[in-house]
């Protein structure tokens, strides 16, 4: 394994956890060598979208131990996503103990390089063999892991999307279900063809307020305040978003979780009151933004510097989860 040249999502570690639900109960979880699955083509997950996943990370601590970051917050979100998709929920104990034992076994897969981590992908799929459209009776819970670098090491360009939407009120936007991502590919591909890295989603209908970006929540620094759209049923409750807001408050910065309109964003560029914009997510951690296109006009942000609030927050977060700073929030689960 060449840890110096990691690519996100390419290498999968040696083992996986597998646990099946049938006859209305979860059965014994097993950790087995990573292997292909054998499933009927009539398996419900292939047809009607009952698939839910989590994305989290384990870090190598300074003393050599392993740390799973904010396991409980990820589990709670997993439960909310599964409930929304009418899927069986693996018990917390299987999730937590399963992750710990899996990482303990594959601990040599946790990279030690700066900004690298072991990405953890717990997911549930509907496994009943049935072609009719209805809720599955059977499920499989699987955890696989993958050594990764942070994505978006370079500053990115975002296109505010006003023609397509990712989520609508009453929909599944707050859930980490596969369909949300499938539906986002087409507008994202269009944005890529136009030279942008990701879209910045807006609210369904009026398309006049910012929601979030591809696999990240969005944060702005306007007049020295850290501002991010409030959580709702159309925005994923990002663990990184919450962590960065918490750290910012501890460091004494003003934070605001409130709607951000396109008009406000555009005026903040025209008045030079916006100093930073960045995406916040498990994969990227902090992705500095260099350009935002609003209604076809590119607005540029100052060059990213280590003096930026986003850089300070990122450093603080990295220090906590690698044991270089005290975990005053109780976010680490040390193995
Ligand atoms: C749509 C979406 N929004 C936001 C996030 C950021 O969430 P987190 O910080 O928990 O990774 C993600 C990534 O998981 C995502 O897929």
């Amino acid at each position: 394994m060449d840890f110096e040249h990691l690519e996100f999502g390419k290498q999968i570690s040696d083992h996986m956890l597998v646990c099946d639900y049938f006859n209305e109960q979860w059965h014994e979880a097993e950790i087995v060598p990573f292997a292909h699955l054998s499933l009927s083509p009539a398996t419900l997950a292939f047809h009607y979208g009952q698939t839910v996943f989590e994305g989290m990370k384990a870090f190598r601590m300074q003393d050599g131990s392993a740390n799973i970051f904010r396991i409980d917050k990820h589990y709670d979100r997993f439960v909310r996503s599964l409930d929304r998709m009418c899927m069986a929920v693996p018990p917390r104990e299987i999730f937590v103990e399963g992750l710990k034992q899996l990482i303990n076994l594959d601990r040599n897969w946790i990279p030690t390089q700066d900004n690298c981590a072991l990405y953890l992908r717990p997911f549930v799929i509907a496994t009943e063999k049935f072609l009719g459209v209805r809720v599955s009776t059977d499920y499989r819970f699987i955890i696989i892991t993958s050594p990764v670098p942070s994505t978006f090491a370079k500053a990115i360009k975002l296109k505010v999307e006003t023609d397509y939407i990712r989520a609508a009120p009453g929909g599944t936007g707050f859930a980490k279900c596969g369909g949300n991502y499938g539906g986002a590919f087409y507008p994202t591909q269009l944005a890529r063809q136009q030279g942008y890295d990701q879209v910045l989603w807006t609210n369904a209908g009026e398309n006049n307020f910012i929601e979030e970006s591809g696999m990240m929540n969005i944060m702005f620094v306007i007049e020295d305040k850290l501002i991010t759209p409030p959580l709702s049923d159309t925005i994923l409750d990002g663990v990184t978003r919450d962590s960065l807001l918490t750290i910012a408050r501890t460091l004494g910065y003003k934070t605001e979780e409130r709607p951000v309109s396109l008009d406000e964003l555009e005026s903040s560029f025209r008045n030079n009151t916006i100093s930073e914009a960045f995406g916040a997510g498990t994969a990227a951690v902090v992705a500095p933004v260099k350009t935002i296109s609003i209604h076809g006009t590119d607005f540029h942000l100052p060059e990213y510097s280590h003096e930026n609030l986003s850089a300070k927050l990122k450093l603080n977060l990295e220090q906590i989860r690698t044991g270089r700073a005290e975990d005053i929030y109780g976010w680490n689960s040390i193995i």
Side-chain angles (χ1 to χ4, degrees):
M1 181 66 217
D2 179 5
F3 283 107
E4 296 296 332
H5 300 97
L6 293 174
E7 211 178 302
F8 193 96
K10 198 152 190 199
Q11 299 285 345
I12 308 291
S13 322
D14 286 336
H15 294 88
M16 62 181 188
L17 178 138
V18 182
C19 186
D20 280 318
Y21 178 94
F22 55 90
N23 293 340
E24 296 180 8
Q25 58 177 310
W26 287 98
H27 295 267
E28 204 168 344
E30 277 188 300
I31 292 177
V32 295
F34 180 81
H36 291 175
L37 304 176
S38 175
L39 292 168
S40 160
T43 299
L44 277 171
F46 295 141
H47 303 275
Y48 311 119
Q50 276 190 301
T51 72
V52 157
F53 65 100
E54 261 307 314
M56 38 201 299
K57 277 179 173 172
F59 298 86
R60 179 79 68 178
M61 300 292 273
Q62 216 181 7
D63 64 3
S65 57
N67 170 31
I68 307 176
F69 187 66
R70 301 201 72 175
I71 199 165
D72 287 315
K73 192 158 172 67
H74 281 284
Y75 178 76
D76 293 343
R77 186 172 69 187
F78 200 38
V79 173
R80 291 198 298 277
S81 302
L82 290 162
D83 282 345
R84 179 63 179 81
M85 302 306 289
C86 296
M87 295 167 70
V89 177
R92 188 182 292 266
E93 197 194 344
I94 295 184
F95 185 90
V96 172
E97 268 312 302
L99 272 168
K100 287 185 176 172
Q101 291 193 23
L102 183 62
I103 290 159
N104 200 23
L105 185 63
D106 279 346
R107 64 166 63 223
N108 287 342
W109 285 87
I110 308 175
T112 49
Q113 287 77 3
D114 279 353
N115 293 317
C116 293
L118 189 68
Y119 185 79
L120 315 175
R121 170 52 61 84
F123 63 105
V124 178
I125 54 171
T127 46
E128 189 189 355
K129 191 184 91 185
F130 183 72
L131 265 190
V133 184
R134 66 154 165 73
V135 170
S136 179
T137 54
D138 304 345
Y139 296 90
R140 184 164 293 175
F141 171 46
I142 302 176
I143 309 175
I144 54 175
T145 72
S146 169
V148 294
S150 301
T151 52
F152 299 132
K154 293 202 191 101
I156 57 173
K157 293 174 74 175
L158 297 179
K159 174 191 166 190
V160 172
E161 180 57 67
T162 50
D163 292 328
Y164 298 92
I165 57 158
R166 171 189 173 276
T172 58
F174 68 92
K176 230 167 146 53
C177 56
N180 287 346
Y181 297 82
F185 286 143
Y186 184 76
T188 306
Q189 288 299 94
L190 287 181
R192 293 229 165 105
Q193 283 163 15
Q194 294 159 1
Y196 300 93
D197 297 288
Q198 281 288 340
V199 294
L200 195 47
W201 300 109
T202 52
N203 54 321
E206 304 263 313
N207 301 103
N208 55 351
F209 281 88
I210 297 289
E211 299 232 301
E212 62 178 323
S213 186
M215 298 281 286
M216 301 178 292
N217 294 106
I218 186 78
M219 298 188 147
F220 304 103
V221 180
I222 301 175
E223 289 176 337
D224 294 328
K225 283 180 286 204
L226 181 63
I227 301 172
T228 190
L231 295 178
S232 72
D233 60 354
T234 59
I235 293 183
L236 196 82
D237 178 359
V239 175
T240 317
R241 173 189 181 280
D242 181 76
S243 306
L244 297 181
L245 282 171
T246 305
I247 294 171
R249 285 181 201 123
T250 307
L251 295 180
Y253 291 93
K254 286 206 177 99
T255 64
E256 290 180 1
E257 295 176 66
R258 60 158 177 85
V260 178
S261 69
L262 295 196
D263 284 347
E264 178 188 354
L265 189 60
E266 189 169 336
S267 340
S268 74
F269 277 106
R270 296 201 187 280
N271 305 335
N272 279 324
T273 48
I274 182 165
S275 50
E276 293 177 52
F278 55 97
T282 295
V285 189
V286 164
V289 175
K290 63 177 175 190
T291 303
I292 301 181
S293 156
I294 307 173
H295 296 309
T297 303
D298 278 355
F299 292 92
H300 302 289
L301 285 139
E303 202 145 307
Y304 184 70
S305 127
H306 290 290
E307 296 300 310
N308 284 7
L309 175 56
S310 54
K312 285 184 197 150
L313 297 178
K314 180 179 177 191
L315 182 68
N316 219 284
L317 181 61
E318 296 297 0
Q319 286 181 330
I320 292 172
R321 40 198 202 180
T322 53
R324 289 176 175 84
E326 195 190 342
D327 172 25
I328 54 173
Y329 313 105
W331 287 341
N332 294 340
S333 292
I334 309 296
I335 306 163

